[in-house]
Amino acid sequence: MDDLDRKILAELQMDGRLTVTELAARVKLSVSPCHRRVRDLERTGAIRGYRAVVDPAAVGLDFEALVFATLRWEDRDTVAAFEQAVAAVPYVVQAQRLFGEPDYLLRVVAADLPAFQQLYDGQLATLPGVQRLTSTIVMKHIVDDRPLPAR
């Protein structure tokens, strides 16, 4: 990956709806080589996909919490079962496995506190292998969906 690829990635992170012609003009490259580079970035996985970034509040998901999960056991089967079950919960919008304690961080959205409590009690607390869940409510986003730095 060279500086030109990084410029292409920076532009697409700011506006994924750019046409190849617009993108080529912004990075000062002709259309064919720009298109070829974009296809190569997609093929190698540097560009994982394109999507709309939706405001959760605009679709009625005004409540957000961070849930920390600690597993009872960390054997391969328990970890796999937990991760598969978490991936199936649509209101978990991000999940990361962590080093140390706790084992996982889940970013969860819901309509409101009662909806979160129902999700917490009915789905999150029953995930395979869970020993303990702790959560905190997100007050405000300071940095959200920031493009990756060009280096």
Side-chain angles (χ1 to χ4, degrees):
M1 179 169 303
D2 61 16
D3 286 341
L4 198 49
D5 287 335
R6 286 183 185 81
K7 287 179 185 176
I8 290 170
L9 291 174
E11 291 295 335
L12 288 174
Q13 285 182 92
M14 296 305 293
D15 185 356
R17 296 183 70 171
L18 287 172
T19 66
V20 175
T21 304
E22 292 167 328
L23 178 61
R26 288 188 185 189
V27 299
K28 299 181 181 15
L29 191 63
S30 60
V31 174
S32 286
C34 183
H35 191 238
R36 186 171 37 257
R37 282 177 176 264
V38 170
R39 279 196 324 261
D40 287 344
L41 290 166
E42 291 168 345
R43 184 183 46 76
T44 62
I47 296 175
R48 295 190 308 197
Y50 302 89
R51 64 184 177 94
V53 178
V54 178
D55 179 1
V59 294
L61 298 171
D62 295 324
F63 186 89
E64 184 176 337
L66 301 177
V67 178
F68 302 93
T70 301
L71 300 186
R72 240 180 232 107
W73 304 281
E74 292 184 49
D75 62 276
R76 183 179 310 170
D77 292 339
T78 302
V79 166
F82 176 84
E83 290 179 0
Q84 183 177 12
V86 164
V89 179
Y91 294 94
V92 174
V93 294
Q94 286 183 333
Q96 287 96 17
R97 186 171 181 193
L98 309 174
F99 278 107
E101 188 80 22
D103 298 313
Y104 291 88
L105 169 61
L106 313 177
R107 184 171 154 234
V108 180
V109 296
D112 52 26
L113 182 58
F116 174 70
Q117 180 186 353
Q118 186 175 14
L119 175 69
Y120 188 98
D121 293 343
Q123 292 185 57
L124 301 178
T126 64
L127 290 168
V130 168
Q131 175 183 341
R132 179 176 58 253
L133 295 175
T134 56
S135 60
T136 187
I137 298 170
V138 173
M139 180 187 303
K140 174 175 140 180
H141 287 265
I142 308 303
V143 176
D144 195 27
D145 291 321
R146 174 183 285 165
L148 295 174
R151 255 211 221 164

